[in-house]
Amino acid sequence: MPRNQVLRQGATVVTRRVSLEARDNRVGKLFLVPAISVLVIIVAYPVIYSFIMSFFRWRPIDPNRPFVGLKNYIRVMSDERFFLSIRNTFIYALVGAFFKVMIGLGLALMMNRNFKGRGIARTLLMLPWVLPVTASVTIWNWMFDGMYGIINVMLMRMGLIDTYINFLGQKGVALACVLIVGIWMGYPQMMMMQLAGLQSIPLEMYEAAKVEGANSFQVFFRITLPSLAGILQMAIILSIIWTFNSFNVIWLMTRGGSSTHTMNTLAYEFSFVNMRYDLGAALSVTILIFLAVFLFIHSKMTKKMGA
């Protein structure tokens, strides 16, 4: 076959391949249109609408909505609960994330071993995550009840207290109770993430360490922990973001009382209790800024792990 004819056939094949790829790309973009439309309607539109609302005096009973600039932000920041909510949010997010990851790591190490009843144990440990939030919070509210709660009854019978404690009615104590419930409901996710990481570590590494005479602590700190470093970083960041966004546990337990308001519950109170949508929108935009910082850190860490 002449060389020119071979070149023409090769060019034709390449052209057809390119055209097929272009057609596939067009079809793929068309399939993305519904998903993008849903994201725009559900996510982008409310965010943009809230951002615009935060610069206007916006009340449901008042049709006049004048532009007020940054007055809503100033009003929110002048509220005595604003900085308290920031402090509580970071305590709830950082402390909660730390204990979720640490408890999850300990349980993952235990669940990674072979023992009788391991399947049942995994099922029981996943119950806090599987149970509906309202059911879990109702159980914990009863346990923390200041008159009939089982915790008060047990402490009284053990002689540790003389009078019943109103756990959810005292400053500091209420936040600690809410934090305990948040940790209890969140550790199963961290456990499963780290258990998956543990099961991906090659067994040959542990066998080689045993041959070298390494003890359990050396194996953990020189093999297990370094192998889980990436997953631990990811788990911590994700736990902080998820806990930062948490609303239902605190609102169902205390409704922000006893100085337990976080930024999310305070924004909800502004918007749907006080009917000040403008103040709620201003605080929501502030929350979005904090979350953008966490997402930026998360994306940077993801890139480093992939590099």
Side-chain angles (χ1 to χ4, degrees), residues 156-215:
M156 183 72 73
R157 290 183 177 179
M158 293 169 64
L160 298 177
I161 58 174
D162 297 326
T163 58
Y164 287 160
I165 300 173
N166 185 10
F167 289 101
L168 299 179
Q170 296 185 16
K171 294 181 179 180
V173 178
L175 183 62
C177 294
V178 170
L179 189 58
I180 290 172
V181 177
I183 294 169
W184 180 79
M185 295 178 63
Y187 80 80
Q189 288 176 302
M190 301 297 105
M191 179 188 70
M192 295 306 295
M193 286 179 62
Q194 294 173 89
L195 181 59
L198 287 171
Q199 292 178 346
S200 66
I201 301 174
L203 295 176
E204 291 79 5
M205 297 178 66
Y206 291 108
E207 292 173 356
K210 289 181 180 179
V211 171
E212 295 293 332
N215 56 38

Side-chain angles (χ1 to χ4, degrees), residues 27-303:
V27 173
K29 290 177 182 178
L30 288 175
F31 279 118
L32 287 175
V33 169
I36 294 174
S37 301
V38 171
L39 286 175
V40 169
I41 294 171
I42 296 178
V43 179
Y45 175 74
V47 170
I48 296 172
Y49 194 77
S50 297
F51 181 75
I52 295 173
M53 187 190 299
S54 67
F55 296 102
F56 291 83
R57 186 177 181 272
W58 199 292
R59 298 183 184 180
I61 59 175
D62 188 0
N64 298 318
R65 294 164 181 171
F67 179 79
V68 295
L70 297 176
K71 287 185 179 180
N72 289 327
Y73 292 91
I74 296 172
R75 178 73 179 273
V76 167
M77 293 180 184
S78 63
D79 191 297
E80 61 181 5
R81 297 171 298 175
F82 174 70
F83 290 103
L84 175 65
S85 69
I86 294 178
R87 188 203 70 176
N88 288 345
T89 300
F90 278 92
I91 291 175
Y92 191 68
L94 298 177
V95 176
F98 174 79
F99 281 102
K100 286 177 188 177
V101 173
M102 290 299 103
I103 293 173
L105 176 60
L107 293 174
L109 290 170
M110 183 177 68
M111 290 297 104
N112 196 42
R113 296 176 177 273
N114 291 319
F115 59 90
K116 189 176 181 180
R118 185 174 63 171
I120 298 174
R122 285 187 182 181
T123 303
L124 294 175
L125 290 173
M126 289 298 295
L127 281 179
W129 186 59
V130 175
L131 286 175
V133 176
T134 51
S136 299
V137 172
T138 301
I139 294 170
W140 280 99
N141 277 341
W142 170 73
M143 292 174 64
F144 285 126
D145 187 83
M147 294 185 63
Y148 308 106
I150 189 173
I151 296 177
N152 267 313
V153 173
M154 291 176 62
L155 293 176
M156 183 72 73
R157 290 183 177 179
M158 293 169 64
L160 298 177
I161 58 174
D162 297 326
T163 58
Y164 287 160
I165 300 173
N166 185 10
F167 289 101
L168 299 179
Q170 296 185 16
K171 294 181 179 180
V173 178
L175 183 62
C177 294
V178 170
L179 189 58
I180 290 172
V181 177
I183 294 169
W184 180 79
M185 295 178 63
Y187 80 80
Q189 288 176 302
M190 301 297 105
M191 179 188 70
M192 295 306 295
M193 286 179 62
Q194 294 173 89
L195 181 59
L198 287 171
Q199 292 178 346
S200 66
I201 301 174
L203 295 176
E204 291 79 5
M205 297 178 66
Y206 291 108
E207 292 173 356
K210 289 181 180 179
V211 171
E212 295 293 332
N215 56 38
S216 300
F217 289 99
Q218 290 173 330
V219 169
F220 176 75
F221 286 104
R222 295 185 181 182
I223 296 178
T224 304
L225 203 57
S227 300
L228 289 176
I231 293 177
L232 284 172
Q233 291 177 359
M234 186 72 68
I236 291 171
I237 294 297
L238 289 176
S239 181
I240 290 173
I241 293 173
W242 292 337
T243 310
F244 197 96
N245 281 323
S246 180
F247 162 80
N248 45 19
V249 173
I250 296 175
W251 188 258
L252 290 172
M253 290 189 70
T254 64
R255 296 187 179 273
S258 304
S259 299
T260 59
H261 260 309
T262 60
M263 298 175 73
N264 293 306
T265 58
L266 187 59
Y268 182 88
E269 183 174 307
F270 279 143
S271 298
F272 301 108
V273 177
N274 301 334
M275 305 304 289
R276 290 298 306 270
Y277 295 154
D278 46 2
L279 299 183
L283 185 51
S284 298
V285 173
T286 306
I287 295 170
L288 183 63
I289 294 172
F290 282 107
L291 286 175
V293 174
F294 283 125
L295 289 173
F296 176 77
I297 296 172
H298 176 254
S299 63
K300 288 291 185 182
M301 293 181 65
T302 304
K303 288 181 180 179

